[in-house]
Amino acid sequence: MPEILGHNFIAGARSAAGPQRLQSLDASSGEALPYSFAQATEGEVDRAARAAADAFGAYRQLSPLRRAEFLEAIAAELDELDDHFIAIVCRETALPSARIQGERGRTSGQMRLFAQVLRRGDFLGARIDLALPERQPLPRVDIRQMRIGVGPVAVFGASNFPLAFSTAGGDTAAALAAGCPVVFKAHSGHMASADLVACAILRAAERTGMPKGVFNMVFGGGVGEWLVKHPAIQAVGFTGSLKGGDALCRMAAERAQPIPVFAEMSSINPVIVLPGALAKRGSAIAQELAGSVCLGGGQFCTNPGMVIGLRSQGFSQLLDALGQHLQQQPGQTLLNAGGLRSYSAGLEHLQAHAGIAHLAGQPQAGQQARAQLFKADARLLVESDPLLQEEVFGPATVAVEVADQDQLRAALLGLRGQLTATLIGEPDDLQAFAWLVPLLEEKVGRILVNGYPTGVEVCEAMVHGGPYPATSDPRGTSVGTLAIDRFLRPVCYQNYPQALLPEALRDGNPLGLRRLVNGQWREGAI
Amino acid sequence: MPEILGHNFIAGARSAAGPQRLQSLDASSGEALPYSFAQATEGEVDRAARAAADAFGAYRQLSPLRRAEFLEAIAAELDELDDHFIAIVCRETALPSARIQGERGRTSGQMRLFAQVLRRGDFLGARIDLALPERQPLPRVDIRQMRIGVGPVAVFGASNFPLAFSTAGGDTAAALAAGCPVVFKAHSGHMASADLVACAILRAAERTGMPKGVFNMVFGGGVGEWLVKHPAIQAVGFTGSLKGGDALCRMAAERAQPIPVFAEMSSINPVIVLPGALAKRGSAIAQELAGSVCLGGGQFCTNPGMVIGLRSQGFSQLLDALGQHLQQQPGQTLLNAGGLRSYSAGLEHLQAHAGIAHLAGQPQAGQQARAQLFKADARLLVESDPLLQEEVFGPATVAVEVADQDQLRAALLGLRGQLTATLIGEPDDLQAFAWLVPLLEEKVGRILVNGYPTGVEVCEAMVHGGPYPATSDPRGTSVGTLAIDRFLRPVCYQNYPQALLPEALRDGNPLGLRRLVNGQWREGAI
């Protein structure tokens, strides 16, 4: 394993121009770890963004197969990261080693999945309208279209996924797949982990002959603003708080050239438990739900922060049982001290609200987070009370008991945009409540039936997105292969000679793509 | 033909709640035409947006085939609009009747093309990842994805395409195809035309049984702000000035729930004439270029506002000949008095600039626009002088003579984002200047070889878009079938029973789609 230098990664080299060093901390004890990191200067951020811009032309023009080889080389390097690496990530995040081992596999798997997308080639969106010289009243000339990368992408790592949503995480994989060099802003919560992963990416880049500057990484507070405002940056990927995401969106919109920001921000992920399921398996649901609420210290974007049911003995029993499970949960160390402060503040806001009652959960004490269950008056949801809509990042959930189907509808209409919504129901429930499906479709990015929203599969059909404030742009996803679309834009070639056309659009179809030719999907040459 | 009532179109009915009437004017004479229009009140805009929201649920859930029937019914109604209609459009816009007849065909053709997209079904983006119950270490559940409309769309009509980019124009067609009801803001320059087209849309909606509120239209100044800020509106389509588009983007970004704005704004569409072509056919190029500059009074987004060449006798001769052609052009009546004022102001700014010389063109006088040729110092482009980057909407173009290939590169790098760039060259030119292609790919939405940018084909492969300030989002197009993508977002269905799934995602594949199943494209049932 390489030494953890703690220098910024710029154009394939390391740089520590400024005087300030940042310390990596043990998440459990708060002690300083023996790693420190060079706070990037404005000049270094500028150089990193320029390095990405310099790499863009060559990198985006590599064949998709060459980019696939790069992603696969990154995957192989990630798989090689050893137990010592795992131990460092665990110390920085207080996450258990089994989770980090799993996340390492998820992260390399994600790279390989995007490599498959590159090999398949449909992300190029190749379209050809052949010339119609005889058309009346005017002939049509030859017109072809494909998608290219938007340019250098700034990616902000998430606190809660030190691997899968950080340095070599989903946004980085999607951007690199799209042909966009990356400038990554390391999260302050796991800088040593980030350093080791960035070294792995650089090894892969060297091994596969990628242009210098295809991947860059900067450390430090405040560098994000320089990055988002840098003229070379053409898009932003972010996973974090609503406040942080909103601020980046504002900065990006106020640039001389505004750029898109794909921010995954805040979701309370309602779980709706229907009567038949309550009657048949309420006790199992309480246990499963408690598990989902507490998984990973509740530090998932898809944590079920709201449980909704129709007023009934069954729902009261569910809440009793859920409360008992949460009451019994041991304290959990969160990712960092800031996370614990936010969680405690979120609980205090809920506790202070007249329409919200505390049902279960041991008092917060010391450095660990305790699971909590609250119950809110359904009218708060109907009236879109902002407090109820705020994500409390940690092992807490709020129950909402509605009087009847009408109030259920009104309550759900009062919800803001969400990453997920979940229906727990028996077949009869789902038939009786079929009206929920179209309503939820308009509110969320993913609807689950008889499952729990934590655990986001990385696959072709996943959507980890949704209407604001779940994300800043509901037309994207940050998990799954459709994530590549965020970083692509179409270019049209009119009346081009064959030799000048990109390979994807040549008559002979050397990339073997399926293309839309004169409005029909066709394989092979023209 | 129906009477031109001049009332707002709300939920399938007409409304004129406010006291203020707006007058339609004859574009050539400035005289009042016998049609007046009810300035929409804030209450009417609210009702129109709510009507669209009320229609959304039912409309988006119609099968794509039913929506295709609606678009085809609109197309048929447009084709039925008679000579009396054409005469009214001509009076409101000063455009010749042959152009308006052609535009009517283009507008109905556009509707039919989107109907084909709906019948093909690939816009749904259906993806299925089947459950893998045996997978280790964790099983995978069934996960499916398709795209749905984003919600009600506000569309702003363009002044320069009273049919193809107005009431039933490209943005309306794309939004309706995507399943999004529309609230259209009629352009003040052709309100009578808009009224008649809206009546045609309503007839088509009634005939095909569409929900009330699928299409709404409001008249008046200031109503756009109410519309963009209305919470029911989920996206905006706009074609117009940079100032107007920027203002809408700001409003949309500052909403409690920010929404995307697809604004097509400002482009100077450089035409680069290469040496071999100059030598071989300079005189023909001068004539063709003059035709493109003056087409439709120069009132096209794709008007060639800049001609770039390498310093040479050939390029000087081209400019001489181009100047003579433009000098000889008769005056042209523009779309409206405001357009003429803007054009004159644009010319004055160019004339007042020390680095820009006037080469040819008769002085502006009276109510007609005269074609003009200017020449700018190439350093202005290299240094990104803002004046050179501003679109002058009318029959004017600016020549830029560069010293050599290095200065050509520097000048093009100084260009802001564009809708188009054009290369005029012989085969040897294109080989010698092949480096231009990747450079231009990063600057523009469409690159043409040996053609002129005016004349935008409505087809599958067209891109009428490009980096800012050409548009507010380079990932979209406002012409061609890819335009539908702007108004769609993905939704994911996890572990869904077959009966609850949308038809597009059911195992039996009742819509006959080609779907991405476990990472492979498949037709037929699963």
Side-chain angles (χ1 to χ4, degrees), chain A residues 70 77 180 247 250 267 269 279 302 313 356 367 447 470 485 526:
Chain A
F70 176 38
E77 291 285 349
C180 300
R250 262 196 309 277
S267 184
N269 304 299
T302 53
Q313 205 187 351
I356 298 174
Q367 298 309 308
I447 318 178
D485 277 26
I526 290 173

Side-chain angles (χ1 to χ4, degrees), chain A residues 9 11-14 66 70 73-74 77 198-215:
Chain A
F9 291 72
R14 308 295 296 269
R66 289 273 287 116
F70 176 38
I74 297 173
E77 291 285 349
C199 288
I201 296 176
L202 286 206
R203 288 195 298 276
E206 276 170 33
R207 187 143 60 81
T208 53
M210 292 297 127
K212 307 268 180 223
V214 68
F215 179 85

Side-chain angles (χ1 to χ4, degrees), chain B residues 336-397:
Chain B
N336 50 57
L340 184 64
R341 278 194 301 274
S342 296
Y343 179 60
S344 299
L347 297 181
E348 279 164 26
H349 290 149
L350 290 172
Q351 246 138 0
H353 197 295
I356 299 175
H358 183 245
L359 291 193
Q362 298 179 42
Q364 290 298 118
Q367 297 309 306
Q368 296 210 306
R370 290 293 186 167
Q372 307 291 345
L373 176 63
F374 294 87
K375 185 174 174 185
D377 190 317
R379 282 172 302 182
L380 297 183
L381 206 50
V382 175
E383 292 156 13
S384 292
D385 186 289
L387 182 61
L388 259 203
Q389 309 265 357
E390 273 171 28
E391 182 181 44
V392 176
F393 205 64
T397 195

Side-chain angles (χ1 to χ4, degrees), chain A residues 280-315:
Chain A
K280 187 164 174 192
R281 47 188 169 101
S283 144
I285 294 167
Q287 188 169 7
E288 291 158 2
L289 202 44
S292 183
V293 168
C294 296
L295 192 70
Q299 302 166 110
F300 288 114
C301 315
T302 53
N303 188 252
M306 182 169 285
V307 182
I308 304 176
L310 289 152
R311 185 176 302 148
S312 61
Q313 205 187 351
F315 191 61

Side-chain angles (χ1 to χ4, degrees), chain A residues 441 446 489 493-494 514, chain B residues 441 446 489 493 514:
Chain A
E441 278 177 331
R446 176 167 58 117
R489 69 175 182 88
Y493 305 83
Q494 182 166 326
R514 194 154 180 286
Chain B
E441 280 177 330
R446 177 167 57 118
R489 70 176 181 87
Y493 304 83
R514 194 155 178 284

